[in-house]
Amino acid sequence: MNPEQGNDIAEHAEPTATSTSDARKPSAPLTVQRAVKVGVGEDAQEIKPESADSYWRAIADLATFKQRDEENRQVMQNQFKKWVEVEPGDTTSGRSNPRWGRKRQERWYDTVQDLELGLYGWASAKSGRRDEKVYARTVVASDVVELRLNKVLRNILYRVHRMDLEPDVWGQISPSEKVNKILEELDEDYVEVAPGRRPVPRSAYATYANIMAEMRGRPELYTAVKNGPLDVMMSPERYSFRDKIIALHGLKEYFIQQRAHAPVNEGAGTLPQLSEDLYQVTIEERAETLENGEVRRTRITSSESGGNPGDRHRQATVDEHSDVVKFARRHHLPMWAAMSRTTANALNLARWADASIGDLTAVAHSFFAFWRLNYDHSTGLAPHTMHEALDIARNFGVPYDPFDRGAEITKYDSAEDRARQMSMIRDELREDAETFFSLFDGGDLDAAIDYDATGLDQSIMLSRMKIGRFKRNFDELLASYDTAPDGDRARVLNEMMDVLTSLRSSRRHLARQYRLRDEMSTAEKTAR
């Protein structure tokens, strides 16, 4: 199977501007919110409220159900009734999400036995889902996470700026025209695909969010990502957590292989395709006690997703017979949409832009938190759970322990760890600046301008002087970090990132000036 063809909410079925949804304005009737089917192919039968009792009796007669304890049997029965209900719950009842309403559940199982296993898996992971909401809120509230997302978005912009200056992973340097076209497309909203046809969105995810906000009559759900993600990349600190993830989602889609549902774009195929080992997921962890008393754990993995790849109608139904799902069920880990290939592709994007392990960890945590809190889970495509996102992220070096899932996230609440992370971000920015200045020829960036020089020679000197001013600004901010009050350090780091972005943009402008001067010199020599 092609690694890009997984059972994933984004990789499998990206929303488009013409997507239909059950979402309606409050005054309009809602369509069926939940549906459960049992059977294979055309023989599958939907369980209606009037037929629910007979199906429940069939579940109750199963040996596996009879082996469950009384508490689990009762929870499973209650959950079965909820799955069969056709109307969403009252958002004011206190039992539904006040922002989106009840979770949409569209399940399709081959047999009643599979349905019983699915009910048990959902019921037994209830406390885990509650933990995930707490973890997600911790992620969203963390200024460390916000800083790292800002850093990643700015680094993606710089990576684009370098495409016509440095070789890519295949050793190729992109033409400047290609880079200019990419930057133009990243600032587009809709694009015409053919004369007479309706324009399609360049960034489908952002457009879809706004369409849903309009259909629901909920203006507070609009995203500020309007004309593509370019402005978010340039000034991410001005955007919310939700908008940052929407922008990253759009960027990931833009730079991977060309999608059939997306308009043709200049950036398609930029990211290296991921090898199968980066899609590995856990099916067992074995512990071994060493002679020194330490316990070494070995992760046993599989390339399965745990879902139903290629079957859009079963996107919200995991395969209960998959070793991936069995591992999650044994340890009461919530699963819903199978392992997240979207997470893998988002991390691939961040890694392409030279993300550190701290950056990758923040991106992985953020995608999970977005799906838990900011994703409209009343729509047909199920969001990913914490385990589905973070177990995939382990392949990129992101620390994650399925038996202590919140170990890394709870560190965001620690004042000591926050200070350590802030210092790490400062050090990473300093290293980025040092790498940037090592690219220059060692000449004095603040050298006096030779006003007798003309044309490009003078422009080049002025550009270098501008870079010199930015360097002084960066050095001043770097020096001020240690003396800044604790509550002011995030601002200092954001300002350091802003100056670094200006430096990087100036580099591309200066490189164009050098290139143009060389071309003019060559043309003059040829003319002689």
Side-chain angles (χ1 to χ4, degrees):
M1 184 183 74
N2 186 326
E4 293 294 327
Q5 297 173 339
N7 182 41
D8 205 80
I9 68 169
E11 310 304 326
H12 186 62
E14 180 73 16
T16 67
T18 56
S19 296
T20 58
S21 169
D22 66 334
R24 298 289 187 272
K25 293 183 179 180
S27 59
L30 285 156
T31 57
V32 173
Q33 173 77 1
R34 300 180 172 205
V36 183
K37 289 183 178 181
V38 175
V40 178
E42 295 180 357
D43 294 329
Q45 299 292 317
E46 183 175 341
I47 303 177
K48 302 288 187 178
E50 55 270 22
S51 63
D53 285 346
S54 62
Y55 275 97
W56 180 252
R57 286 194 295 271
I59 292 172
D61 284 340
L62 293 171
T64 50
F65 181 79
K66 292 177 180 179
Q67 293 169 4
R68 314 287 185 201
D69 61 50
E70 180 58 34
E71 181 179 355
N72 271 317
R73 289 201 297 266
Q74 186 60 55
V75 172
M76 290 169 66
Q77 184 173 14
N78 293 340
Q79 191 63 53
F80 175 74
K81 290 177 181 178
K82 291 179 182 179
W83 283 2
V84 175
E85 288 175 2
V86 297
E87 294 296 335
D90 179 5
T91 58
T92 63
S93 68
R95 296 179 59 84
S96 291
N97 185 304
R99 193 174 198 187
W100 306 114
R102 251 190 189 164
K103 298 180 183 67
R104 178 163 173 165
Q105 303 276 7
E106 292 183 323
R107 310 281 180 153
W108 187 346
Y109 296 95
D110 288 348
T111 66
V112 172
Q113 177 69 76
D114 291 347
L115 171 57
E116 193 274 343
L117 292 171
L119 280 167
Y120 174 71
W122 188 264
S124 65
K126 184 175 183 178
S127 64
R129 289 193 299 277
R130 289 176 174 171
D131 290 342
E132 289 186 357
K133 181 178 285 189
V134 175
Y135 295 146
R137 286 172 174 163
T138 300
V139 171
V140 173
S142 170
D143 53 0
V144 168
V145 171
E146 180 178 15
L147 285 165
R148 288 205 173 276
L149 291 178
N150 293 347
K151 180 169 173 275
V152 168
L153 283 159
R154 288 181 181 275
N155 281 356
I156 294 170
L157 177 61
Y158 182 43
R159 190 66 186 83
V160 174
H161 282 167
R162 290 156 49 201
M163 289 176 66
D164 58 352
L165 302 176
E166 300 172 7
D168 58 21
V169 292
W170 298 282
Q172 303 295 315
I173 295 178
S174 299
S176 295
E177 294 77 14
K178 176 183 178 72
V179 179
N180 292 336
K181 183 64 174 175
I182 288 174
L183 292 170
E184 178 185 319
E185 290 178 349
L186 291 175
D187 199 29
E188 288 181 336
D189 187 359
Y190 281 84
V191 57
E192 289 190 10
V193 293
R197 291 185 59 186
R198 183 167 57 181
V200 298
R202 178 69 72 185
S203 181
Y205 209 87
T207 306
Y208 179 77
N210 287 335
I211 288 174
M212 291 299 99
E214 182 176 355
M215 293 178 71
R216 289 177 179 274
R218 301 277 301 280
E220 74 277 13
L221 300 182
Y222 280 97
T223 174
V225 185
K226 300 294 185 184
N227 298 319
L230 183 61
D231 190 62
V232 188
M233 300 159 74
M234 295 174 65
S235 304
E237 71 282 354
R238 297 195 295 108
Y239 289 84
S240 69
F241 172 87
R242 175 176 179 251
D243 289 338
K244 291 188 210 327
I245 301 305
I246 287 174
L248 281 170
H249 196 291
L251 287 165
K252 178 266 303 175
E253 283 291 300
Y254 179 84
F255 285 112
I256 59 177
Q257 298 299 313
Q258 182 68 51
R259 299 287 193 175
H261 61 256
V264 175
N265 68 71
E266 197 69 37
T270 297
L271 297 182
Q273 290 202 40
L274 293 176
S275 58
E276 196 69 32
D277 63 309
L278 290 171
Y279 289 112
Q280 294 296 300
V281 293
T282 305
I283 59 173
E284 190 55 85
E285 292 226 7
R286 296 174 184 168
E288 176 187 4
T289 303
L290 304 179
E291 291 182 359
N292 61 4
E294 292 183 3
V295 176
R296 180 174 63 191
R297 280 167 41 186
T298 302
R299 181 189 184 212
I300 312 301
T301 63
S302 168
S303 59
E304 295 180 15
S305 70
N308 294 280
D311 190 343
R312 179 172 182 172
H313 300 290
R314 298 197 186 200
Q315 187 272 337
T317 308
V318 295
D319 178 3
E320 297 295 334
H321 302 284
S322 163
D323 288 336
V324 174
V325 178
K326 288 178 180 179
F327 173 80
R329 297 309 193 213
R330 282 197 302 274
H331 302 290
H332 309 302
L333 303 173
M335 285 196 69
W336 193 357
M339 307 310 284
S340 174
R341 293 174 182 266
T342 292
T343 300
N345 287 320
L347 294 175
N348 189 32
L349 169 69
R351 192 170 64 171
W352 173 71
D354 303 318
S356 66
I357 291 298
D359 297 335
L360 295 172
T361 300
V363 169
H365 287 168
S366 296
F367 267 77
F368 142 67
F370 173 86
W371 286 320
R372 187 63 182 84
L373 299 177
N374 297 114
Y375 180 82
D376 184 352
H377 58 206
S378 68
T379 59
L381 295 173
H384 288 293
T385 65
M386 184 177 183
H387 180 67
E388 291 170 353
L390 299 191
D391 196 55
I392 282 280
R394 295 174 81 177
N395 302 318
F396 292 80
V398 171
Y400 170 67
D401 182 350
F403 307 122
D404 189 7
R405 295 181 300 148
E408 292 299 315
I409 290 177
T410 53
K411 290 179 181 178
Y412 295 133
D413 281 335
S414 162
E416 180 181 351
D417 195 74
R418 176 182 176 276
R420 181 183 64 84
Q421 284 274 6
M422 289 279 198
S423 295
M424 286 176 62
I425 295 171
R426 175 204 59 194
D427 293 343
E428 289 169 15
L429 293 175
R430 178 174 56 202
E431 290 171 9
D432 287 347
E434 290 171 353
T435 299
F436 175 85
F437 289 113
S438 71
L439 299 170
F440 289 86
D441 55 16
D444 186 358
L445 290 170
D446 291 323
I449 297 297
D450 179 4
Y451 288 101
D452 292 330
T454 58
L456 283 171
D457 287 333
Q458 189 176 104
S459 295
I460 287 170
M461 283 188 285
L462 288 167
S463 293
R464 288 177 66 89
M465 197 174 195
K466 181 180 179 181
I467 291 173
R469 288 198 302 271
F470 283 136
K471 182 180 186 302
R472 288 197 304 275
N473 291 344
F474 185 89
D475 290 342
E476 289 168 2
L477 287 166
L478 182 62
S480 72
Y481 176 86
D482 289 331
T483 59
D486 182 66
D488 207 32
R489 288 183 171 177
R491 177 194 61 79
V492 174
L493 291 172
N494 270 320
E495 289 185 10
M496 288 170 65
M497 292 183 209
D498 192 46
V499 173
L500 197 54
T501 296
S502 297
L503 280 165
R504 290 163 166 175
S505 297
S506 298
R507 178 196 172 195
R508 185 163 188 260
H509 178 68
L510 180 61
R512 286 200 300 270
Q513 292 176 320
Y514 276 123
R515 188 182 300 131
L516 183 56
R517 187 179 67 175
D518 291 344
E519 290 172 356
M520 291 176 64
S521 176
T522 300
E524 289 175 1
K525 291 178 181 178
T526 303
R528 293 178 192 149

